[in-house]
Amino acid sequence: MQQINKPYEGLFITVEGGEGSGKTSICEQLSLTLNARGYEVILTREPGGSPLSEVLRDILLNPEKQYSIGERAELLLFLAARAQHIEEQILPALRHGKVVICDRYNDSSIAYQGCARHLGKSYVEQLCHLATEDLAEPNCTLFLDLDPTIGMERVKNLRGDQFDRLEQEKLQFHQEVRQGYLHLADEHHDRIEVIDASLSLEEVVGSCLKALEPHLTLKPVHE
Ligand code: Z5A
């Protein structure tokens, strides 16, 4: 288990993966399960999670906006959204001893902007450190690994042809995102758990709970 010198008592869990890998569904299921076990859980997402960050989310993802967003501007907007999210939502919750489940975090920037957009992994990592000041490092990250063709098919079944700005990227882009995540998982095997997301939702929830078990050392607020 990862030991972090952290200025808070709570537990920080991040969920990562490509399109349609089931992050939203898993975050909801984990939140319900941990709540039922007596933990106080905050469920949040990136980009988003605070008023300013939700505005930036709309700027970043809405495909109908009439302006273009360059690669470096895109990265910096994701990081600006994260800086505000940490300050306003994540850190206060962790300081109050809560469990924070966050749908995407730094690893998304590294996989999407660093690897798939080719801005450079270590360049993006450094900027992530700058944006977060290393104040909140996840205790555990669940990477839902899925072939992007299956993920895109799931999103298509769910929303038809209504893809957001990043989902509209070609399959090659999403393959590079997956490779980026797999490299990160190799490098940070003490923090990142690779979960087979091609299984049924129930099975994926089971794998995630098993991976989280060693981290559930907080005292539940209600028995
Ligand atoms: N992004 C970035 O580039 N850099 C950054 O730093 C950050 C983000 C923070 C956020 O979009 C976009 O921003 C994302 C990365 C980029 N871009 N893309 N492309 P988002 O938050 O709106 O969307 P998303 O994170 O990509 O999630 P998603 O595509 O909406 O899917 P999901 O949350 O992973 O999956 P889901 O909604 O839970 O499930 C999708 C469907 O599959 C649904 O019908 C489920 O019922 C079904 N499903 C889920 N699990 C299963 C299983 N196990 N079997 C079968 N069917 C399943």
Side-chain angles (χ1 to χ4, degrees):
M1 198 195 320
Q2 196 185 23
Q3 292 300 320
I4 304 163
N5 190 11
K6 54 189 178 114
Y8 52 78
E9 293 304 317
L11 177 66
F12 188 24
I13 300 165
T14 56
V15 180
E16 294 279 357
E19 279 42 65
S21 55
K23 295 174 305 301
T24 309
S25 314
I26 289 296
C27 286
E28 282 165 6
Q29 292 295 319
L30 292 179
S31 170
L32 288 173
T33 308
L34 296 186
N35 232 308
R37 282 172 63 170
Y39 293 99
E40 216 174 319
V41 182
I42 299 291
L43 178 54
T44 187
R45 66 172 181 184
E46 291 213 344
S50 77
L52 171 65
S53 315
E54 288 292 331
V55 171
L56 293 173
R57 178 185 178 89
D58 185 49
I59 289 172
L60 277 158
L61 300 184
N62 191 336
E64 281 158 22
K65 296 283 183 201
Q66 296 303 310
Y67 42 72
S68 63
I69 304 179
E71 294 174 348
R72 279 169 303 133
E74 178 185 87
L75 170 64
L76 294 170
L77 287 168
F78 277 119
L79 296 181
R82 182 164 309 136
Q84 192 66 24
H85 187 202
I86 287 184
E87 201 172 305
E88 238 176 280
Q89 302 290 343
I90 297 178
L91 266 182
L94 291 172
R95 285 186 180 131
H96 279 96
K98 296 180 184 172
V99 176
V100 174
I101 302 178
C102 189
D103 187 339
R104 298 192 179 279
Y105 194 62
N106 281 339
D107 297 319
S108 283
S109 307
I110 299 166
Y112 281 81
Q113 281 68 49
C115 301
R117 290 268 194 244
H118 302 154
L119 287 177
K121 182 172 166 292
S122 61
Y123 172 72
V124 175
E125 274 169 344
Q126 280 173 34
L127 288 174
C128 286
H129 288 308
L130 185 78
T132 64
E133 294 186 63
D134 293 337
L135 284 172
E137 271 290 301
N139 298 86
C140 181
T141 297
L142 304 165
F143 164 48
L144 306 185
D145 183 33
L146 185 67
D147 182 333
T149 49
I150 302 175
M152 296 309 283
E153 206 46 50
R154 285 184 188 170
V155 174
K156 204 168 175 185
N157 289 338
L158 183 67
R159 298 202 293 263
D161 285 332
Q162 284 186 309
F163 289 110
D164 71 32
R165 198 177 59 80
L166 275 118
E167 285 165 350
Q168 288 172 350
E169 291 289 339
K170 302 264 177 304
L171 185 60
Q172 169 71 20
F173 176 86
H174 296 289
Q175 305 277 21
E176 290 187 44
V177 169
R178 185 187 191 190
Q179 289 313 313
Y181 274 127
L182 288 170
H183 276 121
L184 278 170
D186 246 13
E187 198 180 338
H188 301 284
H189 49 83
D190 51 342
R191 170 175 65 85
I192 304 180
E193 296 282 343
V194 182
I195 306 287
D196 181 354
S198 68
L199 303 175
S200 72
L201 186 56
E202 292 69 28
E203 289 171 301
V204 180
V205 173
S207 313
C208 290
L209 285 171
K210 195 170 163 203
L212 287 181
E213 210 58 57
H215 299 273
L216 296 175
T217 53
L218 286 179
K219 199 168 156 15
V221 285
H222 51 92
E223 303 291 340

